[in-house]
Amino acid sequence: MSIRMPLMAGNWKMHYTAAEAVALVEELKQGITRFHDREVVVAPTFTALPAVANALSGSPIRLAAQNCHWEKQGAYTGEISPPMLKDVGCHYVIIGHSERRQYFRETDQEVNLKAAALLAQGGKTLDVLAEQLGGGLSGLEAPPADRIVIAYEPIWAIGTGLTATTEQAQEAHAFIRERLVKWCNKTVANQIRILYGGSVKPDNVDALMAMPDIDGVLVGGASLKGPSFIRIVEFQE
Ligand code: PGA
């Protein structure tokens, strides 16, 4: 077994009220049995976080937010800060998702500020990279390996039903890991998990997870239904 614990994350994007999100979490709690050798994360909308955190109490499923601001507080209408997310029980925050870059004009510089703020307050980041390790992490001191997770998502594969071949994905992941060696060092780079994202489904997860540098998946559409996300989490080795 790899030194990197597989991480299976569901990004619910802008779906579900608090009650709907709790119903899905209850299904996942019932259906997922293999927690001992994998980490499971769900990322509901901000408004569902407190209810989902409550529903998850006592469960190993971890909570993530889908975005944050880089300041702790201040006059930033509509924004939510890392300490506020920690306060409602978030373990991870997804930053740098391509949908935020595309629709909300988020830049590498902003992603960089968010990563720095999260790491400074002791939070964990789940950084989503469009192509390769770019400006989002530049200039940051490399954190301990368990504080950062990288997700590689080819933009053309997100929500389209098209996935990279397992070989293409493996090649990209190996390339990212080489870049990580330059950013931190080989030992840490070998411990950092690199997730694949983009139309991951029950029928392609096993092949993806068999690749040596694919350490988990970030799942959008297929994480919205209990049975499909449960099957993804319980990928077959
Ligand atoms: P998808 O989304 O699984 O629906 O392609 C993945 C993501 O954007 O995180």
Side-chain angles (χ1 to χ4, degrees):
M1 162 131 196
S2 160
I3 51 163
R4 301 179 292 269
M5 167 89 94
L7 194 163
M8 317 305 281
N11 172 12
W12 295 350
K13 305 190 180 182
M14 197 173 74
H15 292 280
Y16 297 151
T17 61
E20 290 163 345
V22 167
L24 177 51
V25 156
E26 293 301 339
E27 257 189 272
L28 300 180
K29 283 188 347 194
Q30 291 286 319
I32 299 171
T33 56
R34 300 197 55 168
F35 284 113
H36 61 284
D37 61 356
R38 58 206 66 190
E39 186 178 353
V40 183
V41 173
V42 292
T45 57
F46 285 134
T47 52
L49 287 173
V52 171
N54 190 37
L56 286 180
S57 110
S59 155
I61 301 176
R62 287 179 159 160
L63 191 62
Q66 298 176 18
N67 185 26
C68 70
H69 194 268
W70 53 86
E71 294 292 347
K72 290 193 178 74
Q73 58 186 46
Y76 301 101
T77 301
E79 293 294 320
I80 298 190
S81 74
M84 292 166 183
L85 295 173
K86 201 170 184 181
D87 180 52
V88 288
C90 286
H91 198 84
Y92 289 100
V93 181
I94 299 174
I95 55 174
H97 195 282
S98 60
E99 286 160 8
R100 296 217 49 89
R101 295 172 188 264
Q102 185 184 346
Y103 303 125
F104 306 102
R105 307 262 179 281
E106 257 187 35
T107 62
D108 274 354
Q109 198 200 355
E110 286 163 343
V111 176
N112 193 277
L113 287 167
K114 291 176 184 192
L118 285 163
L119 294 171
Q121 73 127 34
K124 296 190 181 186
T125 72
L126 211 161
D127 285 81
V128 184
L129 306 171
E131 289 301 329
Q132 48 195 251
L133 211 53
L137 296 174
S138 72
L140 294 182
E141 212 175 295
D146 66 343
R147 299 274 302 283
I148 183 161
V149 176
I150 307 280
Y152 165 71
E153 303 200 313
I155 289 172
W156 52 264
I158 296 178
T160 57
L162 304 168
T163 7
T165 64
T166 46
E167 290 73 20
Q168 281 170 336
Q170 164 57 27
E171 207 177 303
H173 282 225
F175 179 74
I176 291 166
R177 201 174 305 283
E178 267 169 46
R179 297 279 303 267
L180 285 173
V181 172
K182 297 201 181 91
W183 183 49
C184 33
N185 62 55
K186 207 170 167 113
T187 314
V188 175
N190 278 333
Q191 292 167 350
I192 292 179
R193 289 172 293 181
I194 306 175
L195 315 187
Y196 176 78
S199 298
V200 174
K201 303 223 160 40
D203 64 9
N204 60 22
V205 68
D206 299 345
L208 287 164
M209 290 304 295
M211 294 290 127
D213 285 292
I214 299 183
D215 309 315
V217 286
L218 180 59
V219 189
S223 72
L224 293 173
K225 293 274 176 284
S228 111
F229 190 57
I230 291 165
R231 171 62 183 85
I232 288 170
V233 169
E234 308 234 321
F235 68 92
Q236 311 290 309
E237 282 143 292

